[in-house]
Amino acid sequence: MSAAVTARARARTELEREIKETARRHLAEQGAAALSLRAVARELGLASSALYRYYPSRDALLTALIVDAYDALGDVAEQAAGGPAPGAGARWLAVCRSVRTWALEHRHEWALLYGTPVPGYAAPQDTIGPATRPARVLADVLMAGVADGTLRPPARRLPGPRLATSAVAGLVGGSPAAPYDDLLDRAVVLLVALVGAVSYELFGHSRNAFTDDAAWFAVAMAVAAEGVGLDLPLG
Amino acid sequence: MSAAVTARARARTELEREIKETARRHLAEQGAAALSLRAVARELGLASSALYRYYPSRDALLTALIVDAYDALGDVAEQAAGGPAPGAGARWLAVCRSVRTWALEHRHEWALLYGTPVPGYAAPQDTIGPATRPARVLADVLMAGVADGTLRPPARRLPGPRLATSAVAGLVGGSPAAPYDDLLDRAVVLLVALVGAVSYELFGHSRNAFTDDAAWFAVAMAVAAEGVGLDLPLG
DNA sequence: TGTACATCAGTGAACGCGCGTTCACTGATGTAC
DNA sequence: TGTACATCAGTGAACGCGCGTTCACTGATGTAC
């Protein structure tokens, strides 16, 4: 047997998939703290020790789930940004809405990405790339907005030195020129408002505060965007 | 013996304090998930069962810590709001800074309040009052800003119906009149931006993004406040 | 094509750990007369 | 002031639970000649 892929290799790939899928379901139902290798093995009818042929530790499995979650969220955001909406404001609003929807459908995965860090767990290198995808999406939308004029320059320049590092500037291919030279410092507020608003709702802090959470979310994104020179098309 | 307070009662009060203090320290060092009754009892030289004379369950102890944390944060925010800074913008910036400072000094307590909800733990009634204190502080600052004219009315009215419920309106003593009639919908963005920015930094998402986290935080609060008609005095 | 050997997935028992909670108990503290 | 009784803080053993990880093993799958 050597038909490019052996039966053993196929079985391995398949079980690898099943393990991750089961783990993801447990994560979705109980949260990261309750994710246990033994429980996953039990459900798959395996000895718990068998999982160590696939992941060297619980943390490794968790890392795989984190990377997948960042990628799923990144896909959703990129797709929304690439939609037909005209202008940076409309595109950003579409991104925000898609992120919120994904978060509502994947509460525990959202918590894993943006909630309290799992104690004792240090995110390894592999997560860094996927984690910056939403920021990249924002960067692209804003740069397009600068290019097509749908991003207003700020009314006045922020005082003091610029604060965004070259890591941030790298996302937009270098620091923008005047009159947008304080754009990077401003822009991260959009990310913070997005993540903050979603977490605020998801973690239960806006309970009983609004008659329509989805509508308020859009308002919040629009209000935050005003400070960045972006007009989000409401209603 | 009945000198108003018996020796037994004094001992009880004292031990109650020690339990909470020890629990709070464990929480601060390890996070909520790692908080264990047995560990607290061990450190105090007690049998673990002894704690049940003081708290009927682990969750009850956790609730006490949550209430205390909300109150500590509320104290800090109220004090900052009552400071000498003139105008709503300066006062709100002072509040934001004090909240951030408290959060940096009490990371796990912040996570307990605004991070991922503890799975299986349902916040009881007792936490609701203390939890709304920061919102009350914001409400007071804004109302003072309306009164003294340091809060700009918005350039244009938000489209659609108002979304804030009467629970929110209650914080400012009823819905504000024109031209501030969409103020409540806008204002919650300040809260979301504050909590969002602090969590973003604390949970590690802004690592390597800024040369000066404290300075950027102020910028972020100022940018968010522009959409609410509030000028924060930077630099 | 057939055989000898190497690889590797999965097993099951074990180690060592810590947890929340219950319960019958003891002995000290407080109270009523 | 002294005695009889009630209250209550704290004990220590036990119940029942689940976890991550290691290790020597077996038997099937794959490979080289």
Side-chain angles (χ1 to χ4, degrees), chain B residues 111-209:
Chain B
L112 189 59
L113 302 185
Y114 293 107
T116 313
V118 178
Y121 172 85
Q125 288 293 324
D126 324 29
T127 63
I128 297 181
T132 58
R133 285 180 64 186
R136 269 172 221 282
V137 169
L138 171 59
D140 289 349
V141 169
L142 290 182
M143 286 304 99
V146 169
D148 71 11
T150 49
L151 183 79
R152 261 183 291 117
R156 46 185 171 168
R157 204 157 162 281
L158 290 174
R162 301 287 70 81
L163 301 165
T165 61
S166 54
V168 175
L171 293 176
V172 298
S175 299
Y180 294 106
D181 57 338
D182 64 2
L183 177 59
L184 295 185
D185 288 355
R186 288 175 183 271
V188 185
V189 173
L190 292 182
L191 227 41
V192 166
L194 169 56
V195 172
V198 170
S199 291
Y200 208 78
E201 177 179 355
L202 224 58
F203 297 164
H205 293 285
S206 64
R207 216 173 303 147
N208 300 326

